[in-house]
Amino acid sequence: MKSKNVFLSALLGIALIILCIILVRVFLLQPSETVKLAAIPDTEYDPAVWGKHYPLEYQSYLKNKEMAPSPTGFGGSIKEQKSIKEPEILVNFKGMAFSKDYTEDRGHPYAMDDLKETKRVTPATVGSCMTCKTANLRDIYKTMGWNYAKKPLAELMPLIKHPIVCANCHDPKTMKLRVSNPAFMDAMQRRGIDVAKASREDMRSYVCGQCHAEYYFKPDDKRVTFPWDKGLKPPDMYAYYKEIPSGFDMDWLHPDSQAKMLKAQHPDFELFSEGVHGKSGVSCADCHMPYMREKGRKYSSHWVTSPMKHVQASCRTCHTQDEKWLLERVRTTQNNVFQLQGIAGQTIARAHDVIGKAGATPEVNQAELSKARELIRNAQWFWDFIAAENSMGFHNPDQTLNTLGQSIDLAHQAIATANRAAGKQY
Ligand code: HEC
Ligand code: HEC
Ligand code: HEC
Ligand code: HEC
């Protein structure tokens, strides 16, 4: 009797262990650990070829071509001029390409089409512009190094066959995540971070941060450079630019105020990194590439779009509130941000006008006038940092509202200083 009991308990024990293993495999293992690897050559960039081996990821990647608005009313995947909702853009970017053409972003497969179509590209456009638009950058950089950056874009076009595809983020041999933009690796190295040794969790944001970040072109060789040496917050980067790095003193001279201006470029990674999700270890992929389940297989959605199109998968893995509540929270933040962003942008537009008039006033106080120009440069950097970021503040609501508050104050100071310089009220 006794030995039979021992035998039965042992059997039960073994059964329990097997059950545990099955449960762990089904529910806990990350999809990438269960994926069957295929032999894809290192120079294969066609996503359809990769897709034969990884059909679920490829099917969801193809959804990036879908053009639909977002349920928040902001963002969305439709190419639309931003100046329709924010006409102050036309004044604040006067004298430079963003006043001619500045559209809402859409899916990754369109990156090269949109680069070709934009009125911002002219025969003078340099090769550095394709850095974040195509996987073919890998081979181009391998053969030319940074020399590609100052070549005319038109000369590189025949070498570019694909937009943002699998190879931008994956090593085809191991399917592990990889970063291919050398500017990102350089900038991280200067911050003391070796991207090659990054954890899987960090890589789930780094693959995005390599492109969704602020940058400038070094004046001499047009090398793409991220201004991160002093930190990732708007004042840190402003302080970096203030030192005129490698002789870079402005993106353009504003024709009205004659102020030396900076243009901010989509600092999504920077804003997110300092926010509550970034600081809690949540990654870009957690929200923008959530796990899905199909035919009994768990996989990462490769439809990289607004997470609010699939709140259940994107947010409810961590949040217990219902979808309606989460959408309302996002909308509330965005509406508050959009309102202050408008006030900041419009006050800056007025400041360009006032500084312009003050500058044309005979016997204007030149020292005060340059102070006003410095103030508007700073005000616009703060406004543009938020306006160029893609989440309408959601990635970091408190920093966003703080930055816009400072922008509004600086714009009013710029107006007051210009009026003082002119000795009258414009
Ligand atoms: C913008 C970056 C990016 C692009 C482009 C991309 N992936 Fe991924 N992929 C990811 C991320 C992030 C993960 C999650 C990896 C992790 O958590 O370790 C992932 C995971 C995977 C996995 C592991 C299983 C899974 O679903 O999590 C496969 C297979 C895969 N991707 C295939 C592809 C294929 C095929 C393409 C092109 C059609 C592609 N990926 C394009 C970022 C990308
Ligand atoms: C190689 C550069 C590159 C990488 C890597 C990259 N992006 Fe993008 N992303 C872009 C560009 C460029 C666009 C705009 C394309 C356009 O409008 O033509 C874009 C657009 C988007 C959009 C807007 C899509 C829409 O439907 O409106 C989202 C969201 C996005 N990216 C998130 C991510 C996330 C999350 C990652 C990492 C998993 C990532 N991106 C990786 C360059 C990149
Ligand atoms: C906690 C979830 C979360 C994380 C983490 C997150 N995002 Fe977002 N992201 C959002 C939400 C919500 C929006 C607003 C979408 C909307 O308005 O429809 C958004 C918007 C965007 C957009 C604009 C989408 C559009 O429709 O035009 C881009 C691009 C983007 N995020 C990139 C990133 C990148 C890059 C990272 C990491 C550096 C990141 N996000 C991290 C939730 C997240
Ligand atoms: C991987 C886990 C995770 C995911 C996915 C996630 N969150 Fe969060 N979220 C957090 C954590 C952690 C906090 C910090 C506060 C806390 O501990 O509750 C937070 C805080 C918030 C807050 C309050 C702070 C703020 O920034 O306003 C909101 C709102 C929020 N999340 C919305 C969302 C939405 C919307 C999504 C989906 C697009 C989302 N979250 C996805 C983990 C997550």
Side-chain angles (χ1 to χ4, degrees):
M1 254 331 254
K2 219 174 176 186
S3 65
K4 202 174 169 192
N5 269 347
V6 170
F7 177 71
L8 273 180
S9 338
L11 211 65
L12 197 68
I14 291 167
L16 268 176
I17 290 169
I18 291 172
L19 188 70
C20 282
I21 292 172
I22 292 172
L23 283 177
V24 163
R25 280 194 73 86
V26 171
F27 291 108
L28 289 184
L29 269 196
Q30 304 298 346
S32 55
E33 289 166 46
T34 56
V35 91
K36 235 178 97 203
L37 291 174
I40 299 171
D42 195 37
T43 48
E44 181 57 69
Y45 295 118
D46 186 349
V49 174
W50 292 55
K52 282 196 198 117
H53 306 287
Y54 307 109
L56 290 175
E57 286 80 5
Y58 181 57
Q59 286 312 316
S60 58
Y61 171 84
L62 288 178
K63 287 192 85 171
N64 289 309
K65 295 191 179 167
E66 202 170 278
M67 288 191 278
S70 153
T72 64
F74 295 101
S77 318
I78 296 169
K79 206 175 163 181
E80 190 177 74
Q81 289 294 337
K82 289 188 187 228
S83 57
I84 297 171
K85 274 197 209 156
E86 302 165 83
E88 56 274 17
I89 280 178
L90 302 176
V91 178
N92 296 351
F93 298 131
K94 200 167 160 182
M96 67 101 71
F98 278 87
S99 64
K100 287 189 223 132
D101 191 5
Y102 192 3
T103 56
E104 173 57 38
D105 61 2
R106 52 178 179 160
H108 287 158
Y110 292 110
M112 280 311 295
D113 294 345
D114 288 340
L115 179 67
K116 282 179 207 153
E117 285 166 19
T118 178
K119 294 193 196 94
R120 296 204 299 272
V121 166
T122 66
T125 302
V126 287
S128 20
C129 287
M130 59 87 190
T131 307
C132 285
K133 310 282 189 273
T134 169
N136 294 103
L137 167 76
R138 284 182 65 77
D139 291 342
I140 295 173
Y141 183 74
K142 237 181 252 163
T143 49
M144 301 181 199
W146 275 110
N147 287 331
Y148 83 83
K150 59 174 179 297
K151 283 197 192 304
L153 181 63
E155 204 177 293
L156 299 174
M157 277 300 190
L159 302 174
I160 299 169
K161 305 276 187 275
H162 295 286
I164 301 161
V165 291
C166 323
N168 278 93
C169 302
H170 291 287
D171 177 336
K173 275 203 198 73
T174 60
M175 285 311 280
K176 284 215 160 80
L177 294 177
R178 74 171 171 201
V179 165
S180 30
N181 180 0
F184 179 80
M185 290 181 261
D186 289 354
M188 292 298 267
Q189 197 170 33
R190 290 201 303 278
R191 297 177 65 218
I193 299 165
D194 183 353
V195 177
K197 295 197 184 115
S199 68
R200 171 169 167 260
E201 260 323 302
D202 285 340
M203 285 305 284
R204 287 167 55 86
S205 292
Y206 289 176
V207 287
C208 319
Q210 63 176 323
C211 298
H212 287 264
E214 158 66 6
Y215 65 85
Y216 69 103
F217 297 158
K218 272 173 77 181
D220 49 351
D221 57 4
K222 305 292 174 206
R223 188 179 172 127
V224 181
T225 312
F226 292 10
W228 291 352
D229 301 29
K230 291 181 193 290
L232 300 182
K233 295 199 181 87
D236 301 332
M237 289 192 229
Y238 192 72
Y240 172 91
Y241 282 129
K242 206 165 183 173
E243 291 179 358
I244 315 186
S246 317
F248 176 82
D249 66 343
M250 62 170 156
D251 279 304
W252 90 107
L253 190 75
H254 196 283
D256 295 347
S257 62
Q258 298 288 314
K260 291 180 176 180
M261 305 304 293
L262 297 166
K263 176 74 194 81
Q265 327 279 346
H266 39 71
D268 304 330
F269 179 74
E270 294 91 329
L271 192 68
F272 147 86
S273 297
E274 299 287 341
V276 71
H277 286 106
K279 290 287 182 206
S280 307
V282 181
S283 69
C284 311
D286 284 332
C287 293
H288 287 279
M289 300 184 67
Y291 295 126
M292 300 285 176
R293 201 171 270 284
E294 213 167 295
K295 296 176 199 139
R297 243 210 76 201
K298 192 175 162 189
Y299 68 102
S300 305
S301 167
H302 279 61
W303 183 26
V304 184
T305 186
S306 166
M308 305 320 282
K309 291 177 186 166
H310 36 61
V311 178
Q312 177 67 27
S314 285
C315 318
R316 299 208 61 234
T317 38
C318 299
H319 292 283
T320 51
Q321 298 93 337
D322 64 26
E323 295 193 21
K324 197 166 151 261
W325 187 91
L326 286 158
L327 181 61
E328 261 331 289
R329 283 320 305 157
V330 175
R331 276 202 185 128
T332 303
T333 296
Q334 292 181 323
N335 285 333
N336 284 328
V337 169
F338 187 70
Q339 186 187 21
L340 277 205
Q341 182 173 299
I343 295 172
Q346 287 149 27
T347 313
I348 290 163
R350 193 153 69 79
H352 278 299
D353 180 54
V354 171
I355 298 173
K357 286 180 177 144
T361 307
E363 286 163 43
V364 61
N365 180 328
Q366 289 296 340
E368 288 284 324
L369 187 65
S370 4
K371 251 192 239 161
R373 287 182 180 139
E374 170 62 31
L375 285 162
I376 200 174
R377 172 179 154 106
N378 197 348
Q380 183 152 331
W381 169 253
F382 281 3
W383 162 76
D384 197 13
F385 191 99
I386 301 305
E389 206 274 344
N390 281 301
S391 68
M392 196 51 75
F394 173 77
H395 290 147
N396 188 347
D398 55 319
Q399 187 187 304
T400 294
L401 293 172
N402 174 292
T403 304
L404 289 173
Q406 294 197 53
S407 173
I408 295 167
D409 178 46
L410 287 162
H412 282 297
Q413 285 187 50
I415 292 171
T417 309
N419 280 332
R420 215 165 39 241
K424 40 175 117 165
Q425 293 292 315
Y426 284 115

